[in-house]
Amino acid sequence: MSHWKIAAAQYEPLQTTLTEHVAHHLQFIRAAAKCQCELLVFPSLSLLGCVDGDDFLPAPPDEALLQPLAHAAASYRMTIIAGLPVEHNNQFVKGIALFSPGLASPLTFHQSHGACIARQRNTISVVDTQPEGIDIDPEFSLFTTSQCISEPELLSSTSRLQSFSHKFAIAVLMANARGSSALWDERGRLIVRADRGSLLLTGQRTSQGWQGDIIPLR
């Protein structure tokens, strides 16, 4: 596999306006671009502020307000996965927005548990069900997941993700707002794990395997 650099954004949840959320996302996108990252994953409901539970989510944001993120994806040739509410079966549920260099506007998906990525084919498959029960095409080389959880749920989630990585021989990147964002390689070995705070967790895949780094953001 040729060199490939990816990143997870981590920061304490913000309670602010959508415009300010977008501006905050752009700070992380610019930082990831400086590191030459091709993929950046944000935590669950990152454009809302990471709320607990699925009840009483607001309506999805106006797509026009998300255009700065679509423009950034095109400008930096970066795939960006952010979290937001989406409408499904006449209710508002957790979902993701996928910004891609080739798309003028984002694709949205409901109740996403993550996304499988085949970099060589430039393909992304969003996982709507629990990933442990799916069949994964061996062409997919990375599974990403967005979280906003704390102890003890975090311990259970990381254990499941590590086992999932080993079982399906796929690298796993987790972006968690409340700390411990992590990257595991195809054998389920931990490559890098963050503590808490505002940072980029990066991973680079080379012919020698995965390497990771933590980049604090000020």
Side-chain angles (χ1 to χ4, degrees), residues 77-156:
R77 307 299 300 171
M78 184 188 303
T79 298
I80 301 163
I81 299 176
L84 77 179
V86 299
E87 186 173 1
H88 179 66
N89 291 337
N90 298 317
Q91 60 181 331
F92 303 134
V93 299
K94 289 181 181 179
I96 63 170
L98 173 66
F99 300 87
S100 176
L103 297 176
S105 57
L107 300 177
T108 58
F109 303 89
H110 72 279
Q111 293 288 16
S112 168
H113 287 274
C116 291
I117 299 171
R119 188 214 183 195
Q120 300 300 331
R121 296 191 324 207
N122 194 29
T123 301
I124 295 179
S125 177
V126 174
V127 178
D128 286 333
T129 58
Q130 289 292 342
E132 292 85 350
I134 66 172
D135 293 325
I136 295 181
D137 187 324
E139 289 290 328
F140 288 115
S141 51
L142 179 71
F143 176 77
T144 72
T145 180
S146 301
Q147 311 262 4
C148 186
I149 54 178
S150 53
E151 309 289 357
E153 187 180 358
L154 179 59
L155 291 175
S156 175

Side-chain angles (χ1 to χ4, degrees), residues 43-215:
S44 176
L45 290 177
S46 61
L47 287 166
L48 180 60
C50 184
V51 300
D52 294 319
D54 297 329
D55 297 331
F56 308 114
L57 293 181
D62 187 333
E63 189 175 289
L65 297 176
L66 304 180
Q67 280 305 301
L69 300 180
H71 178 72
S75 298
Y76 295 121
R77 307 299 300 171
M78 184 188 303
T79 298
I80 301 163
I81 299 176
L84 77 179
V86 299
E87 186 173 1
H88 179 66
N89 291 337
N90 298 317
Q91 60 181 331
F92 303 134
V93 299
K94 289 181 181 179
I96 63 170
L98 173 66
F99 300 87
S100 176
L103 297 176
S105 57
L107 300 177
T108 58
F109 303 89
H110 72 279
Q111 293 288 16
S112 168
H113 287 274
C116 291
I117 299 171
R119 188 214 183 195
Q120 300 300 331
R121 296 191 324 207
N122 194 29
T123 301
I124 295 179
S125 177
V126 174
V127 178
D128 286 333
T129 58
Q130 289 292 342
E132 292 85 350
I134 66 172
D135 293 325
I136 295 181
D137 187 324
E139 289 290 328
F140 288 115
S141 51
L142 179 71
F143 176 77
T144 72
T145 180
S146 301
Q147 311 262 4
C148 186
I149 54 178
S150 53
E151 309 289 357
E153 187 180 358
L154 179 59
L155 291 175
S156 175
S157 178
T158 55
S159 177
R160 289 197 310 271
L161 289 171
Q162 186 171 22
S163 297
F164 171 80
S165 174
H166 182 267
K167 177 181 178 180
F168 291 99
I170 188 170
V172 173
L173 176 67
M174 178 186 71
N176 184 43
R178 294 191 168 114
S180 297
S181 297
L183 171 67
W184 295 269
D185 72 6
E186 296 85 353
R187 298 182 182 179
R189 296 178 300 192
L190 180 66
I191 300 301
V192 59
R193 174 177 287 154
D195 190 2
R196 295 181 69 88
S198 182
L199 54 87
L200 273 179
L201 180 145
T202 66
Q204 184 169 17
R205 181 70 161 87
T206 70
S207 57
Q208 286 75 45
W210 284 99
Q211 297 177 332
D213 198 8
I214 301 293
I215 302 172

